[in-house]
Amino acid sequence: MLANIENNLIQSSTTWLKSYYFIRFAVSAAWVILAFTVAKVVPPLAAVMLVAYPAWDALANFIDGQRTGGLNRNKTQLLNFVISIITTVAVAIALGKSMNAVLAVFGVWAVLSGVFQLATAVRRWKSGAQWAMVLSGAQSALAGIFFVKMAGSLTMIDITNVAPYAAFGAFYFLVSAVWLTVSGARRKSAQAAS
């Protein structure tokens, strides 16, 4: 009986995560495409997109946390939500200073949100496909360190310096969504065969 309840909870969680990861992939992929095409030559659009990126992350973490038991139960997502809101404001302020300042803010955020994403993935391990989220969180933290270092250099910085970071995030969300889809199809096939 308890095994069936736990199995149903995992399946419900897996269904939500699959949809959530596909949505995160689609939004990130669209952001990357816009960053490398239109936004790199339209600075006002780039500015809006740079502010919108952590705001979207905050919203996504909020919704995901609420859908999976509430933010009080999901402390890592609560922390990710809070740090993403703070980052949204910090990016808006940094835009008034320089792109180097913006990249530094993104760097600190990438480190913190990466650690929280990694911790969330470890907590969700039974849901499946979390190895990709662990890799994503670790890579985010490493990218953040690189961003902070680059922000202190004389390199010319624009939105295309952030876009590869978003592209890797999109890739990991897609891998997780596809992995959950394939795992679910195999599970259904095995159940039908038995």
Side-chain angles (χ1 to χ4, degrees):
M1 176 89 170
L2 275 173
N4 282 343
I5 292 171
E6 185 177 342
N7 203 17
N8 287 340
L9 287 172
I10 290 171
Q11 282 185 328
S12 174
S13 173
T14 301
T15 301
W16 159 249
L17 285 178
K18 183 172 55 174
S19 300
Y20 174 68
Y21 291 154
F22 272 125
I23 291 167
R24 293 289 308 253
F25 160 72
V27 171
S28 293
W31 192 94
V32 170
I33 290 167
L34 273 175
F36 278 122
T37 56
V38 182
K40 74 177 186 179
V41 294
V42 182
L45 176 60
V48 168
M49 287 176 60
L50 287 166
V51 171
Y53 193 77
W56 158 245
D57 192 72
L59 177 63
N61 272 289
F62 179 81
I63 292 170
D64 184 33
Q66 291 295 87
R67 290 287 306 257
T68 55
L71 290 174
N72 284 335
R73 189 169 159 224
N74 297 297
K75 298 292 186 204
T76 54
Q77 288 175 288
L78 173 62
L79 292 169
N80 217 340
F81 167 72
V82 169
I83 197 66
S84 293
I85 292 292
I86 292 168
T87 301
T88 301
V89 174
V91 168
I93 293 167
L95 280 165
K97 297 179 188 244
S98 70
M99 279 303 295
N100 292 65
V102 170
L103 192 62
V105 169
F106 262 90
V108 172
W109 174 58
V111 170
L112 294 173
S113 68
V115 169
F116 297 141
Q117 181 181 16
L118 193 153
T120 299
V122 168
R123 183 175 43 81
R124 286 180 163 167
W125 195 261
K126 286 185 178 180
S127 298
Q130 295 306 302
W131 60 269
M133 292 294 97
V134 166
L135 289 175
S136 179
Q139 187 168 1
S140 177
L142 290 174
I145 294 166
F146 177 74
F147 281 170
V148 170
K149 185 178 177 186
M150 182 187 266
S153 73
L154 298 175
T155 306
M156 188 67 150
I157 295 169
D158 64 18
I159 194 168
T160 61
N161 294 101
V162 176
Y165 168 75
F168 275 108
F171 169 75
Y172 285 120
F173 281 122
L174 179 62
V175 167
S176 290
V178 169
W179 192 276
L180 288 172
T181 301
V182 170
S183 297
R186 285 183 181 160
R187 194 170 30 257
K188 283 182 184 175
S189 181
Q191 287 172 350
S194 58

